[in-house]
Amino acid sequence: MEIKKDMAVSIHYTLKDIDGKVLDTSENNEPLKYLHGYGQMIPGVENSLEGKKIGDSLEVTVEPKDGYGEYDERLIAKVEKAKINADIKLEAGMPLQAETGEGVHVLYVKKIEGEDVYLDGNHPLAGIPLHFSLSVVDVQEATEEEKQHGHAH
Ligand code: ZN
């Protein structure tokens, strides 16, 4: 069975930066299951899996525009430390949830300078080319329920 829209797909993946440093991998866990054609995966990964079958392996380099977007300096905001409602000590790289008019957004602590905290609304993987090793573990027709929900169960 080939991967196309409305297929529930299970993959193993290893994500590296272009220097070969492993950033994330599923290899020590269950395979990642997703519903193909619903934008659950970044476009560079989803498009490269189109038409693949169980047992196929592939190596894909994804540019930021097909990944987590270009890095946008305008998404950095300087906030006074006292205005951040956190129970724990703030550290660079830490994710924070921010309530906005459009729901909850995740911001990352970019750096701390004295009483100022720089919060970054970019995805941590924005702006960098990514290298994925992918292997297709399972491909099945999605159920009606999965299609309605827009994700795999
Ligand atoms: Zn569901």
Side-chain angles (χ1 to χ4, degrees):
M1 221 175 313
E2 284 189 4
I3 297 177
K4 57 181 197 285
K5 188 167 166 34
D6 294 329
M7 294 297 209
V9 180
S10 297
I11 57 167
H12 270 303
Y13 68 92
T14 296
L15 167 60
K16 295 175 182 173
D17 65 16
I18 47 169
D19 299 322
K21 183 181 164 214
V22 175
L23 303 176
D24 192 13
T25 181
S26 67
E27 291 297 340
N28 301 319
N29 296 304
E30 295 288 301
L32 175 70
K33 193 174 179 190
Y34 78 99
L35 190 57
H36 193 81
Y38 287 76
Q40 288 188 289
M41 309 291 276
I42 57 173
V45 167
E46 189 159 52
N47 295 341
S48 69
L49 287 166
E50 181 87 24
K52 297 292 183 291
K53 301 185 185 75
I54 294 173
D56 284 352
S57 293
L58 54 156
E59 304 286 323
V60 191
T61 300
V62 176
E63 297 301 325
K65 70 176 171 55
D66 296 317
Y68 295 95
E70 301 290 348
Y71 192 84
D72 186 350
E73 296 283 345
R74 292 169 302 178
L75 296 179
I76 298 171
K78 188 170 95 170
V79 182
E80 283 173 51
K81 203 186 271 179
K83 291 203 172 139
I84 297 176
N85 184 11
D87 315 336
I88 39 171
K89 189 174 179 296
L90 296 174
E91 285 175 29
M94 184 182 281
L96 293 176
Q97 299 208 330
E99 306 237 8
T100 71
E102 293 149 28
V104 176
H105 283 255
V106 177
L107 302 172
Y108 293 84
V109 177
K110 186 170 177 65
K111 59 178 176 174
I112 302 165
E113 282 181 359
E115 292 308 306
D116 293 325
V117 179
Y118 291 80
L119 298 178
D120 189 346
N122 289 287
H123 190 280
L125 297 175
I128 58 171
L130 303 170
H131 184 270
F132 287 88
S133 304
L134 305 170
S135 58
V136 181
V137 178
D138 193 33
V139 182
Q140 289 178 30
E141 296 268 6
T143 63
E144 283 307 315
E145 193 187 20
E146 285 175 317
K147 285 188 242 177
Q148 273 170 20
H149 289 197
H151 56 231
H153 287 161

